[in-house]
Amino acid sequence: MSKLVEKIEHYMAVSKELGLDLSEDLISKATEDLVPSIYKQDAETVSCSDSEELDTVKKNFLQNKLGVNANDATLDAAIKGVCEAMGTSNRHKYRALFYALLAKEFGKESVYA
């Protein structure tokens, strides 16, 4: 089994455990899009307590990648919602799941199609 398939299966299990209601296809596409960063421990997760990182998610992912045209308050609220959905006690907020949830939140799953 390839490392990519192992990551996708791991993220699917975490998604089910957290009740995130993400499709396997969306998780697979988001994971594939993040290669090779998912293999670097410090880049594989998103830190919800790091405002600089969250600003990067907002600018580089939501605005540039997904093309979301919304005000900062809306984007910040979506990011906060994803942080909460992934659980405050969960230290491993995997970037692939984080991005998949944001894409779903804004109806931009087609970016990964």
Side-chain angles (χ1 to χ4, degrees):
M1 180 181 315
S2 75
K3 285 185 178 186
L4 179 60
V5 171
E6 287 177 11
K7 286 287 187 184
I8 291 168
E9 288 181 357
H10 175 69
Y11 296 154
M12 282 298 303
V14 171
S15 175
K16 287 178 184 172
E17 180 182 312
L18 296 175
L20 299 179
D21 191 33
L22 294 170
S23 71
E24 183 174 353
D25 187 51
L26 181 57
I27 292 172
S28 295
K29 300 289 184 176
T31 304
E32 291 166 8
D33 191 54
L34 289 166
V35 171
S37 65
I38 60 168
Y39 301 116
K40 299 175 185 169
Q41 190 172 14
D42 62 330
E44 184 183 21
T45 59
V46 173
S47 172
C48 287
S49 62
D50 184 340
S51 61
E52 286 183 34
E53 182 170 11
L54 297 180
D55 281 342
T56 300
V57 169
K58 182 170 40 177
K59 290 178 182 123
N60 292 349
F61 181 70
L62 287 174
Q63 294 173 329
N64 295 342
K65 173 85 176 175
L66 295 184
V68 175
N69 187 17
N71 63 42
D72 279 348
T74 299
L75 299 176
D76 291 339
I79 290 170
K80 182 180 179 187
V82 168
C83 288
E84 291 171 358
M86 294 189 80
T88 54
S89 64
N90 176 20
R91 293 188 61 232
H92 299 291
K93 292 174 177 61
Y94 294 109
R95 191 170 301 276
L97 296 177
F98 202 91
Y99 285 8
L101 282 169
L102 286 171
K104 183 178 176 185
E105 170 75 21
F106 287 101
K108 298 284 189 171
E109 297 99 321
S110 63
V111 170
Y112 291 120

